[in-house]
Amino acid sequence: LPPSLPSISLLSGNSDPLLSLPHRNHFREAVCKMAAVRICQEPLGGFSFENCRRNAVIEAELTKQGFKVLEARKTGTTIAGLVFKDGVILGADTRATEGMIVADKNCAKIHYIAPNIYCCGAGTAADTEMTTQLISSNLELHALSTGRLARVATANRMLKQMLFRYQGYIGAALVLGGVDCTGPHLYSIYPHGSTDTLPYVTMGSGSLAAMAVFEDRYKPAMEEEEAKQLVRDAIAAGIFSDLGSGSNIDLCVIMKNKLDYLRPFDIANKKGVRQGNYKYRRGITGFLTEKVTPLELNVVEEVVHVMDTS
């Protein structure tokens, strides 16, 4: 077919004065054959690795042109929460990582949302911090406007709508818990905006180990002390099973007329004490030769700066 013919007229079946009848019939026959092939072809079984081959070709082409292939940022955290008889308990570890480096050993991952609502954050530290601060500010305005404490479902809706708006580019995985006029509530909020409401939840790189503890020992209507110990053990399981989690264990106990922010609740990784002395006395190491080269330095200018300590 001539390349100058508009494709819309061909696909819609409209007659074109430039396209003769034999050409139109040939085009219709070709379209029917393509449709028949698509309809009659049986689905292939097993896994399809077409995207793997495509990604390998793209990566090779980018490397050839001198570009670096984009990589997902890996973060580490263990956060968890459960609903007990009188309220909600949230727990988190305190290790903040930057790649394979421990950037902060005592990072606060349980964020304030409202007097009756708190939120644990996993993912990019800046995203979790700024997201919770923004929603906390909006909920305060909402409380001033309505004259009553915000409900947990309201905070959940505001968080999920904000995260969905950014399509996962805000790396904040959250565990939201609180007590309002309808009782205790616990939500898990994913970076793309989907949410779950469950009696116990875990998130972060150590979530599988923490979930194993919950599934083994959780019971409905638990007492406060028993529930606190269970959350502590779940976070500890994440700390000892995941390199991205570590240091201390923080808890936040939210009840109808009481709030306990326990920081730290427990120190899971206590620094060990050296058993021996690793200092060696002077002259114990042998050497073959010794050469001392004096350095002749001429002081050109010397300036003393007074530090302002006011």
Side-chain angles (χ1 to χ4, degrees):
L1 297 179
S4 60
L5 292 177
S7 59
I8 188 171
S9 62
L10 298 179
L11 296 177
S12 61
N14 298 333
S15 61
D16 195 317
L18 299 178
L19 189 63
S20 61
L21 182 60
H23 283 154
R24 287 203 297 271
N25 292 335
H26 177 72
F27 177 77
R28 289 194 183 95
E29 291 177 3
V31 171
C32 291
K33 288 180 180 178
M34 292 170 59
V37 169
R38 289 177 177 272
I39 294 174
C40 297
Q41 184 179 7
E42 295 183 0
L44 299 176
F47 294 103
S48 174
F49 296 96
E50 294 179 357
N51 287 339
C52 297
R53 290 194 290 268
R54 178 205 66 181
N55 294 343
V57 171
I58 294 174
E59 183 176 350
E61 195 64 30
L62 289 175
T63 305
K64 188 187 303 180
Q65 297 180 12
F67 295 104
K68 186 179 180 181
V69 182
L70 297 178
E71 296 180 354
R73 179 176 291 276
K74 298 179 181 179
T75 60
T77 286
T78 302
I79 55 176
L82 64 78
V83 178
F84 70 105
K85 185 176 71 173
D86 299 320
V88 174
I89 298 180
L90 303 176
D93 71 300
T94 61
R95 173 178 290 182
T97 57
E98 186 177 350
M100 297 304 295
I101 301 171
V102 178
D104 189 356
K105 297 180 181 179
N106 197 24
C107 171
K109 300 182 183 180
I110 303 179
H111 308 284
Y112 170 87
I113 299 292
N116 59 323
I117 306 172
Y118 276 74
C119 181
C120 301
T124 307
D127 288 349
T128 59
E129 188 77 31
M130 297 310 297
T131 300
T132 52
Q133 285 183 8
L134 177 62
I135 299 304
S136 175
S137 176
N138 291 341
L139 276 181
E140 182 66 23
L141 295 174
H142 181 273
L144 292 172
S145 175
T146 58
R148 58 177 180 268
L149 286 175
R151 295 191 179 186
V152 186
T154 305
N156 175 59
R157 175 60 65 90
M158 295 171 75
L159 283 166
K160 70 188 295 184
Q161 286 181 343
M162 177 183 175
L163 293 176
F164 179 77
R165 190 183 310 129
Y166 286 89
Q167 293 291 300
Y169 284 98
I170 293 180
L174 308 172
V175 172
L176 180 71
V179 179
D180 55 26
C181 58
T182 61
H185 300 278
L186 185 66
Y187 296 93
S188 60
I189 307 173
Y190 296 86
H192 288 83
S194 61
T195 61
D196 292 325
T197 174
L198 297 165
Y200 56 89
V201 298
T202 63
M203 296 195 81
S205 55
S207 60
L208 294 180
M211 181 57 74
V213 176
F214 276 160
E215 290 183 342
D216 181 49
R217 294 165 48 188
Y218 177 80
K219 296 178 294 185
M222 297 178 69
E223 296 294 334
E224 179 182 350
E225 292 302 321
E226 186 183 9
K228 285 162 66 174
Q229 187 63 34
L230 178 57
V231 176
R232 181 263 168 213
D233 293 343
I235 300 298
I239 287 175
F240 292 120
S241 303
D242 173 43
L243 291 177
S245 308
S247 297
N248 308 331
I249 299 173
D250 292 346
L251 293 186
C252 182
V253 183
I254 308 172
M255 291 182 279
K256 187 172 183 181
N257 297 315
K258 181 183 175 184
L259 173 70
D260 286 336
Y261 194 147
L262 307 171
R263 174 172 164 83
F265 176 76
D266 188 28
I267 301 176
N269 274 332
K270 294 183 180 179
K271 187 175 181 180
V273 180
R274 286 184 178 180
Q275 300 297 321
N277 184 15
Y278 299 100
K279 293 183 179 180
Y280 300 97
R281 66 180 183 273
R282 186 177 181 88
I284 197 172
T285 304
F287 54 92
L288 299 179
T289 60
E290 179 181 2
K291 181 180 179 181
V292 179
T293 303
L295 298 177
E296 297 180 0
L297 301 176
N298 295 325
V299 179
V300 178
E301 184 180 1
E302 182 177 356
V303 180
V304 178
H305 294 281
V306 180
M307 184 173 62
D308 185 11
T309 58
S310 59

